Amino acid sequence: MGKRKVAALEKIEADLAGLQHKIRKDPDAYEKEFIENWQQFDAAHEKFLAAPVGADSNSLITFREQIDLIAHCAELYPQITATFPGALKDVLTKHHAVLEPTLREKIVSSLTLLRRKDVIDSNYLLTALFPILISTPSKSLRMVLYQKILSDIRNTNTKTTNHRVNRTMQTVLYNLVTSDRSSPKALWAVKLVRELWRRHIWSDAKPVDIMRQACLADNEKVVIGGVRFFLGGDKEREEFEDESSDDENVDIKKVKHSLEINKKSKKSKKVLDRAVDKVKKQERKKNAPHPLNFSALHLLQDPQGFSENLFEKHLQNSKSKLSLESKLLVLQLVTRLVGLHKLTVISLYSWFIKHLSPRQQSASSFLASLAQGTHNLVPPDVIEPLLQKIANEFVSEASASEVCSAGLNAIREICVRQPLAMNETLLQDLVEYRKSKDKGVMMAAKGLLSLYRERGADMLRKKDRGKKATMELKSGDLKSVKFGEEQAGEIEGLELLAKWKEEQRKRKRLERGLPEEGEDAENEDEELEEDPDEWEVASMDSSDSGEWIRVSDSEDEAEPEPDTKRQKVDSEDLEEDDKENAETLDFIKLATTTILTPADLAKLRELRMEANVDKAMGNRKRKQDMETRHADEGLTADQIEAPAKLRKSTKEERIALAKEGKPNREEHKSTQAIRKSKKEAEGKSSTNKEKARRKNFMMTLGKAKSKQKRSLVTTRNILKNHIERSKSGGRRRNGISR
């Protein structure tokens, strides 16, 4: 077979690759050769600038190879290659639209390589690539530039946060969004900020401000990108954290076991070292302090002004060109801000009236947004007409069951946030739907009834109040809700700790033989240590010390006997009041005068966990849960439509629900068979005991016969060797040397 002919260009490529290797090994010895290649690059550069469109393919290939060589060796000759980055930037900026794709990608990768070698800084690279990203018509180039910019910002902030680069880039993105609000170029700013926020690289208020400006743009795609950032950016961040934590799980035992069994090599040792490094990194992450991950909605500088501008521009404005789906997303963001920050946008609620109809497209989304935008500081007079409208349009016997249940559920969600918006007549009318034959309507009405049993039982009829609410109304324990009343902040579960401490104090007094009620031993000792002369002074004080003494008109007049029955009832009421007041005082005293020790904090965590278990089992009130529900998470249309899904399911739906979350099995298998298949999937083998049990009988017959013919000396030696081997780790010795 004859020799293959090698083309001239292939020889040049091979020569340049070999020259690059030699230059990197000994830069001083090959400086002359590098200068010659630099002169060739300079000539090719001038030739290209003279005719960037009409250049032939051979000269472009040579130009590309020269760029590659100089980019790899530029840090070795900084004085010679001082103008190299500027030349590449100039070619890319002016001629990116007409450049050959391979040459264009080579210039971009060369600039990135110079950045990695610290020949140029991050600001230089980003200011060179970003203007091309937003102006080039080439889709492939846009994707390459986007990935390069993203990776450079990520690498710059790997060890420490590079505030200078971040500030520069954020300013560029902010100016891009605000300079021309109708331009689609701002979409790249939205994409970059959203990805960097998801990766926890940017987590301060500046990127949130960029997205706030994007929400107020005129271009629909830019607006929707900004709105989706606020509605789902934090969820994306949590999912990214979960994915990254799942990817890093490494089984060290499995890696070591494979190293012991397989052939030892440098590659396998590197695999083990990498696995150990990953485990150490995981441990450092566990022990590191948790970063303060504020939600984007909490980092807004002026939520009131932002929600008003957003509502007026995209929803209230009749000239807005957004589609219905886009308007619903904007509405969801506005109501989320209003509910979370407890803002007051009165015109928002009057705007809802024309959309509250079953014939309205996506009616459940409008209902969910209305409930989401309600809070306890909204005037009840503003919400009451909306409740009446929902009741008239959705809740009637002529309406479909799905419509009726959605309306009742929406009313309940609104009343959870502002219970004062409901009037007595409407409530009593809606509660009657609990007798409906449809399960969804019945459950929605019962939910409304249970809510007002806890929040406003006096508005219900006596037969609807229930035993607990009736007793609380009679005793006066059920406090009426007042408009604008806010609950004072407190440590969660502190009342549980106060109650536990009181129980411990009583138990200790009983162990000493003292009555439950009384002061502690320390207080008793303090009383005993007091000076006894004070008692004598007090007893020796004369009655005529200058004060008036009340004397009855007749000393012989007998005092009237009190009514014993009334006195007994009053004393019981007083005792109950005193007990409640004492519990409240103990809780306040613990919160204000006591420094909690680490043991107290540990006990507080334990009591809180027990309370959460009780709550999950249904042993506690749902009042606090209903108040805090959806405070930071949005209310969706699916939650409004939830009662309608309580209809009797078909057999296929029940089977699908039963199979959900279970492993897919084509046929029935025993537990042992499932374990075996799971082991095989993980790449694990069976044990030696299992292998011996499954061995062919004829194969074991010869060994069994030979055992019978052994002498006592042979048996002793075999057993002795077996004991020695087991001490040294078996036949393989498992890494243990003698």
Side-chain angles (χ1 to χ4, degrees), residues 18 29 87 108 191 311 321 381 495 509 531 544 719 722:
V108 172
K191 284 184 177 180
F311 175 65
K321 296 180 181 179
D381 300 339
E495 68 278 0
R509 286 185 64 82
D531 191 1
D544 51 354
L719 290 173
H722 172 71

Side-chain angles (χ1 to χ4, degrees), residues 260-313:
E260 289 168 3
I261 292 172
N262 300 333
K263 184 182 176 182
K264 293 177 176 60
S265 63
K266 288 183 179 180
K267 185 180 178 182
S268 58
K269 190 175 182 301
K270 284 181 181 178
V271 169
L272 178 62
D273 293 340
R274 278 198 296 268
V276 170
D277 290 340
K278 276 192 176 180
V279 170
K280 286 180 180 177
K281 189 178 178 182
Q282 286 176 1
E283 292 298 322
R284 282 198 300 271
K285 277 187 179 179
K286 285 179 186 176
N287 299 328
H290 195 273
L292 296 173
N293 294 331
F294 289 106
S295 170
L297 295 169
H298 290 282
L299 288 172
L300 279 167
Q301 294 177 355
D302 181 18
Q304 176 73 41
F306 176 51
S307 57
E308 287 177 356
N309 293 336
L310 205 59
F311 175 65
E312 289 171 5
K313 182 166 187 176

Side-chain angles (χ1 to χ4, degrees), residues 122-188:
S122 189
N123 281 333
Y124 188 91
L125 178 66
L126 294 174
T127 51
L129 299 184
F130 189 74
I132 303 169
L133 172 67
I134 61 176
S135 60
T136 181
S138 172
K139 187 176 180 180
S140 59
L141 180 60
R142 284 200 301 264
M143 293 307 299
V144 170
L145 292 174
Y146 175 73
Q147 292 297 332
K148 297 291 183 185
I149 290 169
L150 197 64
S151 61
D152 184 67
I153 296 173
R154 188 175 69 245
N155 295 334
T156 307
N157 292 274
T158 301
K159 294 181 179 177
T160 55
T161 305
N162 194 327
H163 294 287
R164 190 169 66 88
V165 172
N166 291 344
R167 199 160 49 245
T168 304
M169 198 63 197
Q170 286 165 1
T171 307
V172 170
L173 296 177
Y174 185 86
N175 294 336
L176 176 66
V177 174
T178 55
S179 60
D180 186 4
R181 294 197 177 272
S182 59
S183 173
K185 292 179 181 179
L187 195 59
W188 287 106

Side-chain angles (χ1 to χ4, degrees), residues 17-113:
L19 180 62
Q20 178 186 324
H21 177 69
K22 292 174 183 177
I23 289 172
R24 296 198 63 80
K25 284 188 73 175
D26 193 358
D28 296 333
Y30 290 92
E31 185 176 357
K32 186 178 177 182
E33 286 80 357
F34 181 80
I35 292 171
E36 288 177 1
N37 279 277
W38 171 257
Q39 290 171 352
Q40 291 175 15
F41 162 76
D42 206 9
H45 177 229
E46 289 178 2
K47 184 180 177 182
F48 175 80
L49 290 177
V53 181
D56 60 324
S57 59
N58 291 339
S59 60
L60 288 176
I61 292 171
T62 308
F63 186 41
R64 188 174 70 233
E65 295 302 329
Q66 294 292 342
I67 290 172
D68 188 47
L69 172 67
I70 295 168
H72 279 88
C73 305
E75 80 277 11
L76 301 174
Y77 308 101
Q79 294 179 353
I80 300 171
T81 59
T83 58
F84 181 64
L88 293 183
K89 183 180 177 181
D90 187 50
V91 169
L92 191 63
T93 306
K94 292 180 179 178
H95 307 289
H96 62 84
V98 296
L99 277 174
E100 187 194 13
T102 52
L103 178 60
R104 190 169 57 194
E105 288 181 13
K106 177 60 70 177
I107 293 173
V108 172
S109 60
S110 299
L111 283 170
T112 312
L113 181 63

Side-chain angles (χ1 to χ4, degrees), residues 2 11 21 40 55 116 125 132-133 158 193 227 292 295 306 346 357 366 396 413 425 433 577 624:
K11 286 183 178 180
H21 177 69
Q40 291 175 15
R116 282 207 307 269
L125 178 66
I132 303 169
L133 172 67
T158 301
V193 172
V227 170
L292 296 173
S295 170
F306 176 51
I346 300 298
S357 170
F366 282 100
S396 67
E413 290 290 347
T425 309
Y433 282 92
D577 292 342
Q624 193 175 359

Side-chain angles (χ1 to χ4, degrees), residues 607-623:
L607 293 169
R608 205 182 294 164
M609 194 177 293
E610 288 177 6
N612 289 334
V613 171
D614 290 343
K615 182 175 69 175
M617 294 173 68
N619 297 337
R620 287 187 66 191
K621 288 184 181 181
R622 293 176 297 155
K623 178 180 177 181

Side-chain angles (χ1 to χ4, degrees), residues 275-419:
V276 170
D277 290 340
K278 276 192 176 180
V279 170
K280 286 180 180 177
K281 189 178 178 182
Q282 286 176 1
E283 292 298 322
R284 282 198 300 271
K285 277 187 179 179
K286 285 179 186 176
N287 299 328
H290 195 273
L292 296 173
N293 294 331
F294 289 106
S295 170
L297 295 169
H298 290 282
L299 288 172
L300 279 167
Q301 294 177 355
D302 181 18
Q304 176 73 41
F306 176 51
S307 57
E308 287 177 356
N309 293 336
L310 205 59
F311 175 65
E312 289 171 5
K313 182 166 187 176
H314 297 305
L315 298 175
Q316 208 172 21
N317 186 10
S318 58
K319 295 180 180 178
S320 176
K321 296 180 181 179
L322 296 182
S323 62
L324 178 63
E325 187 180 353
S326 304
K327 282 186 177 181
L328 282 172
L329 285 172
V330 174
L331 178 63
Q332 194 177 351
L333 175 58
V334 171
T335 52
R336 183 95 165 264
L337 286 168
V338 170
L340 180 63
H341 295 282
K342 296 191 176 181
L343 310 176
T344 305
V345 186
I346 300 298
S347 57
L348 172 67
Y349 303 101
S350 59
W351 178 84
F352 267 107
I353 290 180
K354 61 182 178 182
H355 299 287
L356 297 178
S357 170
R359 293 175 294 279
Q360 170 69 48
Q361 189 180 352
S362 305
S364 54
S365 298
F366 282 100
L367 292 173
S369 299
L370 174 58
Q372 191 175 239
T374 308
H375 53 86
N376 61 339
L377 298 181
V378 178
D381 300 339
V382 177
I383 304 295
E384 192 173 349
L386 295 170
L387 290 181
Q388 195 69 48
K389 171 90 176 189
I390 295 170
N392 293 339
E393 293 283 345
F394 288 83
V395 187
S396 67
E397 293 178 357
S399 301
S401 58
E402 291 84 358
V403 174
C404 191
S405 59
L408 283 168
N409 199 28
I411 290 171
R412 188 183 69 83
E413 290 290 347
I414 293 168
C415 293
V416 164
R417 293 157 173 78
Q418 181 51 287

Side-chain angles (χ1 to χ4, degrees), residues 185-212:
K185 292 179 181 179
L187 195 59
W188 287 106
V190 172
K191 284 184 177 180
L192 274 171
V193 172
R194 196 167 175 179
E195 184 64 23
L196 292 168
W197 179 270
R198 187 175 74 93
R199 293 175 178 271
H200 283 274
I201 298 168
W202 287 356
S203 55
D204 54 340
K206 186 67 177 178
V208 175
D209 198 34
I210 295 169
M211 301 305 276
R212 180 178 69 86

